[in-house]
Amino acid sequence: MNRLYIMLAVLLANIVMLSLPSCTDDDNGGGQPVIDCVRTTDPERADSTFTDATVGQMILIQGRNLNNAVHVYINDQDVYFNSNYNTSTHLIVTIPSDLVVAGVDDTLPLEIRVETTHGTATYSFHVIAGLPSLELYKADLPVNDEGIPEMVPGQEVTLVGALLHEVQHIYVTDLDTVPLFEINEYALNADRTELKLKMPLDKEIPDYGIFMLECYAGNAYCGFSKSPMAPEVYDVIPDMPIPGQTVVIRGKYLTNLTALNLGGEIAVNVNDVTENETMTELRFTMPDQLPTKEGSNGLISISTLGGKATAPFYRYDLIFEDFDGNGTSMMWQWGTNNGWGVSEPAGFAFPGISGNVLSFDGSNTGWWNNEYVHGKAMPENIDASTPLDDIEFRYEVYLAEDAELTSNIGLFNVTVSVPVADAVEGKSLPGRWMSVIIPMTRFGAGFSTWGELASTNNLDADNFVISHNTSAAGSMHTAYDNFRFYVKTAIDENE
């Protein structure tokens, strides 16, 4: 009996010992690792789990027996993790910004894999590089019987954008993004920035529509027209703006802008350009950077889906006087109550200065607010046969809020009175730089060409005069810059 009791006691002890290792493994995280979910590291959002994330995002992998992790793989790529934050239930990882994602390599397993010293856990997980976007489309449009480029059934079109990953559907939609038909024939380039598609042979192409890409990460859109019209530019005001001034481009078919360049040196973000509903006007704010005398091509270039047009812009060779040494030669100058070529006028300040100016800061009374330039030469780069109707005399003027006046500009022994008002807005804008335009015909009545008028320029006289009607009392805080000639010869380069 005693031997039986002893044997039973030993058997029971062995049973207890056999059961202990399993409990110990679970308590210390030594069992099979399991990933239960993925969430953010914010403890207040512990219940907000997800199965999709973006590159660069920090995630917390939550589960059981995750301690002693050796490797963490996302999309089968080994990613770094800090072992100090590795516990049996948590592991923190930042998804690398250069992680190769689905859509770039469609063979990748879409999962997180954690390898520990005691096993491996996997979890289905989808990483995206970001939202897809479309910037423009390119198409070599055939010309129809009327000589107009026109998109046709079977047309090859290239969509240009970014992150064109995991494309699920491509539609041509109306302007309300209601699908008209689906496009099934397409191919992507290696870095997923271009998608070349073929329009269906049996579908009618709308006059105006939208290419809509449905991708895993979201939708991307690009508007198009069946027959893009080439842009035409009639005028740019001002053509030599001060930084911060609003520049207005006027013309026709100014829509679907793809690029805007100043002088061949400065690219303006097309997202910062506004267009009106009639497609006759574009507006943008002149950046702080200006086209340079050495590098500028003297043009503003407007590119749209319909083509390209250029117009004169920052023509240094047509500057009469800019107080920075870029004007024509002169013998001497003198004036009263003013500062020639100053960067900081006395008595007032103004925004956007990019160099020196002519300022008037005296009292707004009497004769003492004038400037006289003796022996000022005319620009040499205006063709003598240019019709005088095609030439304007332009400048920028700043009028402080406490001033009100009329400028008198003298050229070719003719004085023209010009109320200080902005050429675009048609009114005075105190506290802002304004653009003033004077048709050269006002200085050359009876002359038809530039050559005829220029031949009358008298270098032995004060042949450039700025004076003012200053009968009102108060201060005269006024500045001038960028006196120049503007030849209205737009150059169209339709592509």
Side-chain angles (χ1 to χ4, degrees), residues 123-403:
Y123 187 77
S124 295
F125 199 75
H126 205 133
V127 177
I128 62 173
L131 296 176
S133 64
L134 290 174
E135 300 174 9
L136 55 91
Y137 76 91
K138 300 183 295 185
D140 186 11
L141 301 181
V143 177
N144 62 18
D145 295 338
E146 298 177 356
I148 300 175
E150 185 176 79
M151 191 177 295
V152 296
Q155 177 79 53
E156 286 191 351
V157 179
T158 299
L159 305 181
V160 180
L163 303 180
L164 306 181
H165 300 162
E166 299 181 86
V167 176
Q168 298 173 335
H169 298 282
I170 304 175
Y171 295 102
V172 168
T173 78
D174 63 17
L175 297 181
D176 294 320
T177 66
V178 176
L180 301 176
F181 54 84
E182 185 170 2
I183 296 172
N184 296 308
E185 190 173 345
Y186 64 90
L188 286 153
N189 66 349
D191 61 1
R192 302 308 193 259
T193 57
E194 291 191 358
L195 185 150
K196 183 173 291 186
L197 60 86
K198 181 176 285 189
M199 300 292 275
L201 291 170
D202 60 344
K203 301 297 182 181
E204 182 179 353
I205 299 172
D207 291 337
Y208 296 94
I210 296 173
F211 291 112
M212 180 174 71
L213 269 62
E214 289 186 352
C215 303
Y216 180 86
N219 294 350
Y221 305 89
C222 181
F224 74 93
S225 58
K226 185 177 181 179
S227 299
M229 300 301 294
E232 300 175 18
V233 177
Y234 303 148
D235 206 354
V236 180
I237 305 174
D239 62 293
M240 193 169 282
I242 306 294
Q245 267 188 291
T246 298
V247 180
V248 179
I249 304 168
R250 289 174 174 165
K252 192 176 182 180
Y253 306 125
L254 300 179
T255 187
N256 296 320
L257 187 68
T258 60
L260 179 61
N261 189 276
L262 310 180
E265 297 180 303
I266 305 165
V268 177
N269 188 336
V270 295
N271 294 321
D272 296 333
V273 181
T274 60
E275 60 181 65
N276 64 356
E277 293 183 357
T278 58
M279 302 182 292
T280 57
E281 191 174 278
L282 299 173
R283 292 190 179 218
F284 68 96
T285 300
M286 185 65 191
D288 292 337
Q289 181 185 0
L290 299 178
T292 64
K293 183 177 181 178
E294 298 77 17
S296 173
N297 60 15
L299 297 172
I300 185 170
S301 175
I302 299 95
S303 297
T304 72
L305 295 178
K308 179 180 177 181
T310 62
F313 193 81
Y314 261 86
R315 288 283 302 271
Y316 281 90
D317 58 332
L318 298 183
I319 291 176
F320 195 47
E321 186 56 60
D322 69 348
F323 314 101
D324 294 314
N326 297 311
T328 61
S329 63
M330 65 182 179
M331 294 183 183
W332 64 78
Q333 62 81 24
W334 67 281
T336 55
N337 284 344
N338 68 27
W340 175 282
V342 298
S343 59
E344 296 181 3
F348 69 106
F350 46 78
I353 187 169
S354 59
N356 298 321
V357 300
L358 172 66
S359 71
F360 292 87
D361 48 29
S363 61
N364 197 12
T365 57
W367 177 80
W368 300 97
N369 296 287
N370 306 315
E371 175 63 35
Y372 301 87
V373 181
H374 192 92
K376 186 69 169 169
M378 292 295 153
E380 298 178 354
N381 291 334
I382 301 177
D383 191 285
S385 64
T386 304
L388 213 56
D389 287 338
D390 290 343
I391 305 174
E392 294 171 340
F393 191 66
R394 297 183 172 191
Y395 55 91
E396 309 308 301
V397 59
Y398 176 87
L399 189 65
E401 294 183 354
D402 59 353

